[in-house]
Every structure is written in C-alpha cells, then in structure tokens.
Amino acid sequence: MGKDKIRRFRENETFSNLFQASFREVYQRDYPLKGSWNKNVFGNDNPIVLELGCGKGEYTVALARLNKSVNYIGVDVKGARLWRGAKTALEEKMENVAFIRTRIELIESFFAPSEVSQIWITFPDPQPRKENKRLTSPRFLNRYLSFLAPGAVIHLKTDSRELHDYTKEVVEAREDMTLLEADPDIYANTGRPANDPVLTVRTFYENQFLEQGKPITYLRFSTGNPATAKQEGC
Ligand SMILES: C[S@@+](CC[C@H](N)C(=O)[O-])C[C@H]1O[C@@H](n2cnc3c(N)ncnc32)[C@H](O)[C@@H]1O
C-alpha cells in the first residue's frame, strides 16, 4: 500500500465526521447509530440524504453547501477517497455532512425505517456483466426501501446509457416505485433551471466523461405506487 494511502487511513481514524465499521460489526447486526443519526450526529431533525458510492464525496459536499438545512451522508467502501470529502467538510466546518465507510451491501444495518429522505447515486460502476452488483438492481432497491421514507426520491446520474435504460425498466416494472423523470442527456435539456444541482454539481468522474464527449443521463424516481403517485399529482 502506498505511503499516501496509509497516511490517509490513519487520518481517517481521527475524523469526527467519518464513521467506519468492520464487516463483522455490521453483518446482520445494527450499527450503533442506526435510527439516531439526527439525534447523535447532526443534533437536529433535518431530512437525511445519502450519496451511495460517493467516491471523494464531491456531490455530498456540494449539496451540503447548497442546502444547510439538510443532512448529507456520503457512503463508499474506499477510505482513501472518502478522506478527501471528510477532510474538506472538516476544513469548512460543515456541520451537515458525514461519511460512512462500508460496503453498500450492508447499508440496511446503518439506517432505520423512514430515516432517509433521498438517495443520490452518481456515476456508479455500470457492472455490465453482474446485474446483482448494480446499485440500482432490484436487490439493492429492496435494501433501500427498508429505510426510505414514504415518497422518498432516488436520483441516478450516469454516463452509461445501458445502466440508465436498465434502471428505468426496473423502476417501471415495480409497483412500489414511480418513475418521475428520465433525461437521456442533461446538457441537451435546456428546460433545466441554471441552479439545478443535476447541472451545477460535477464530480471527478462526470468531468472525465464530459471530456470524452459522453452524454450524461439522469433518472429520478420515488418510493410509492405509480397509480397513487399520479392521483396525488406527484
Ligand atoms: C465510478 S466511482 C464514482 C465516484 C463518485 N460518485 C463520482 O462520481 O466521482 C464509483 C464509486 O462507487 C464505490 N462503490 C462501488 N460499489 C460499491 C459498494 N458495493 N459499496 C461501497 N462502495 C461502492 C467505489 O468505491 C467508487 O468510489
């Protein structure tokens, strides 16, 4: 392991906004903060928004700067990447940001029913050959449902047209989720307001894909039955 990585891992241990648990501590067991993130970490009753596979936490930090009355938690398994986001949030004294280092397969151990209001998934690995590893496969969506509040929204931003189309199909086939928006190229859609976070926040990976000339796609869907959502005008 490189010296820089070791230094980051050591520093991660000292960060008050970074929570880490070993596989054994959370496999089929609840993390001690499950159900009490607001009370014991943020000290308020604001909505909690997750970014799954947050990498360096650029989206988490950028959204947290834009919305101070929302609590953001970035989740990733890679400690050296999380180090960047956690460090920036501490340097800027951001009280509405935290990070969790874990495998997303174990996410249900961290959050109680209805504890989370929104999820952002930005540029996940498209996993063309392993459907079960896609963060928007039915297996993962079922995990998220265990802690999402009624009407919670999930955002997916990806350069992979295959993952975009796949997720759209998965959501449309479900009776417990409702597709709200499918945009195959966010930069071609002139109807978006300039301050829309879909446009204004760009991660490391998004910038790379834009340089390669790839269209950036976006999906927004919510928990809840499509028929009910239509009646309620969602
Ligand atoms: C392609 S990167 C995108 C990072 C960031 N969202 C961005 O746009 O710059 C995908 C990230 O997801 C994380 N990831 C993928 N599968 C994961 C899993 N099952 N559990 C935790 N993290 C995962 C990887 O470690 C990586 O940092």
Side-chain angles (χ1 to χ4, degrees), residues 51-56 58 75-78 81 102-105 122-125 135 140 203-206:
E51 186 194 356
L52 300 179
C54 69
K56 297 176 185 174
E58 290 132 305
V75 182
D76 205 289
V77 72
K78 300 240 166 98
R81 291 186 186 175
T102 188
R103 295 202 61 79
I104 298 163
E105 284 79 353
T122 56
F123 303 93
D125 306 313
L135 294 184
F140 276 94
T203 68
F204 174 76
Y205 281 88
E206 177 164 356

Side-chain angles (χ1 to χ4, degrees), residues 82-99:
L82 287 175
W83 173 89
R84 181 61 274 165
K87 179 122 179 139
T88 302
L90 287 174
E91 283 170 350
E92 293 186 24
K93 299 188 174 28
M94 301 177 78
E95 292 183 355
N96 60 333
V97 180
F99 291 93

Side-chain angles (χ1 to χ4, degrees), residues 136-199:
T136 54
S137 66
R139 208 169 180 178
F140 276 94
L141 294 181
N142 290 340
R143 290 187 175 113
Y144 310 153
L145 279 177
S146 75
F147 56 75
L148 282 172
V153 172
I154 302 178
H155 310 259
L156 170 70
K157 232 177 145 180
T158 175
D159 63 299
S160 163
R161 186 59 197 259
E162 290 73 25
L163 185 68
H164 173 86
D165 291 346
Y166 163 82
T167 307
K168 185 168 173 279
E169 264 176 41
V170 167
V171 171
E172 283 177 330
R174 295 182 72 114
E175 297 200 342
D176 53 4
M177 290 194 162
T178 306
L179 184 70
L180 302 174
E181 182 181 354
D183 188 341
D185 186 350
I186 57 170
Y187 295 105
N189 177 353
T190 49
R192 287 194 176 281
N195 62 354
D196 185 339
V198 170
L199 291 183

